[in-house]
Amino acid sequence: MAYETILVEQRDAVTLVTLNRPQALNALNSQVLRDLGEVFAAYDADPSQRCLVLTGSEKAFAAGADIKEMVEKDSADFFLEDFFSGWQSKVVATRKPWIAAVAGFALGGGCELAMMADFILAADTAKFGQPEIKLGVAPGMGGSQRLTRAVGKAKAMEMCLTGRMMGAEEAESAGLVARIVPAADLLEDALKTAATIAGMPPMAAMVNKEMVNLAFETGLAQGILTERRLFQILTATEDKKEGMEAFVAKRPGVWKGR
Ligand code: CAA
C-alpha cells in the first residue's frame, strides 16, 4: 500500500518505515501521523513482522511538528482537537518493538518521535533538540518528560530553555541514544539490530519492552497529558503567533512576553 508521507517495505520479519517529506525536512503534519498510525497498527497486528525500523533522510530524521500547519491555529483549536494526542494513541501504543534510526536533525517533534521508539540508533551526524521555545511554545509530544528522564534535569532544562542542539556523541554519553554508527552504516546496522530482535521469541520481546517501559514511564502519563495541555495553552500567546509567523517569513521573531 502506498502512503503520502512515508515509504514502507518489509524485509523478511522487519518493517522499514522511511519518513518521506524531503521538501519539509520530514516535518510531522497530520498526514504523517495518519500514515504512521496505519502502519504501526498493521505492524502490531501482523505476526510475520517482528521488529520495525523508523528512519528519515540523511539530512533530517524530522525537523519537528509542522509549523506551517500550526501557524494559523488558535488555542481553542489545539485544545478541542487534543492536538498531538494521536502520537500517544497511534505510535507510543505499539506493543511490538521498534527502533528509531536517526541521522541529521531530530528537532522538536522529531526528537520527541525518536524518543517514542524503544531505543534510538544515531548516525554520527545526528542532532537532537527541543527548540520550541524559539517559537513561543514548549514541547507537546512528550519531549519535556522523556528528554528529562533520558538525560536528566540539567541537560534537558538547558536544551529546552536555550533550544540548543545536542550532537550524537553528547547524546550517547548522556544516555539518549543506545549507540552511534557512522552515517553510511546507519540503515544497515539498524536493520541488522532489528533482525536480531525479530529472531527473539515474539511474546518475550513484547514483555521485555513493557517491563523496561514500566520502569521508565511510571508517572509519565500524567506528565504527558499536563505537557499537552500546557502546550495548547501556550498557543494562545501573541508570542506563539509571532514565533511561527516569523519562522514562515524567514525573519527573527520579536517578542511581546505575552
Ligand atoms: N515545520 C514546517 N516546515 C519546516 C520545518 C517545520 N518544523 N522545518 C523545516 N521546514 C521547512 C522549511 O520551512 C523549508 O521550507 P521552504 O523551502 O518552503 O522554505 C524547508 O523545510 C527546508 O528548511 P530550511 O530551509 O529551514 O533548512 P535549513 O537547512 O536552512 O535549516 C533547520 C534546517 C535548522 C532544521 C530549520 O529548518 C529549522 O529550524 N526548522 C524548524 C525546527 C523547529 O523549530 N522544530 C520545532 C517545531 S515545533 C514542534 O515540534 C512542537 C512540538 O513540541 C511537537
Side-chain angles (χ1 to χ4, degrees), residues 89-151:
S89 58
K90 294 183 173 172
V91 175
V92 178
T94 307
R95 295 180 71 200
K96 284 157 63 172
W98 67 281
I99 302 169
V102 175
F105 297 113
L107 300 179
C111 185
E112 295 172 294
L113 174 57
M115 290 190 292
M116 290 174 203
D118 297 323
F119 59 91
I120 301 172
L121 289 179
D124 47 14
T125 57
K127 290 183 257 326
F128 300 89
Q130 298 291 159
E132 287 89 343
I133 191 166
K134 297 183 191 171
L135 301 168
V137 288
M141 287 165 54
S144 64
Q145 307 301 296
R146 291 197 179 92
L147 186 66
T148 306
R149 279 167 167 79
V151 306

Side-chain angles (χ1 to χ4, degrees), residues 23-25 27 59 63-68 70 84 105 107-109 112 131-132 135 138-141 231 247 250:
Q23 73 286 4
L25 300 185
K59 179 164 179 184
D66 193 316
I67 300 167
K68 291 167 187 168
M70 296 187 290
F84 291 146
F105 297 113
L107 300 179
E112 295 172 294
E132 287 89 343
L135 301 168
M141 287 165 54
F231 170 88
F247 175 84
K250 298 183 190 289

Side-chain angles (χ1 to χ4, degrees), residues 30-96:
S30 307
Q31 189 59 43
V32 177
L33 175 58
R34 274 194 292 276
D35 288 349
L36 286 180
E38 273 187 38
V39 167
F40 274 82
Y43 161 63
D44 239 6
D46 181 350
S48 79
Q49 296 302 291
R50 297 189 173 175
C51 195
L52 180 150
V53 173
L54 176 66
T55 196
S57 69
E58 263 175 49
K59 179 164 179 184
F61 176 74
D66 193 316
I67 300 167
K68 291 167 187 168
E69 190 177 65
M70 296 187 290
V71 67
E72 296 297 342
K73 286 183 191 286
D74 67 18
S75 186
D77 296 328
F78 285 106
F79 180 82
L80 292 170
E81 289 173 29
D82 204 3
F83 202 73
F84 291 146
S85 63
W87 293 96
Q88 195 70 19
S89 58
K90 294 183 173 172
V91 175
V92 178
T94 307
R95 295 180 71 200
K96 284 157 63 172

Side-chain angles (χ1 to χ4, degrees), residues 119-123 168 172 176-181 186 189-190 192-193:
F119 59 91
I120 301 172
L121 289 179
E172 186 187 30
L176 180 60
V177 309
R179 267 184 309 113
I180 305 178
V181 185
L186 178 67
D189 193 301
K192 202 168 142 203
T193 306

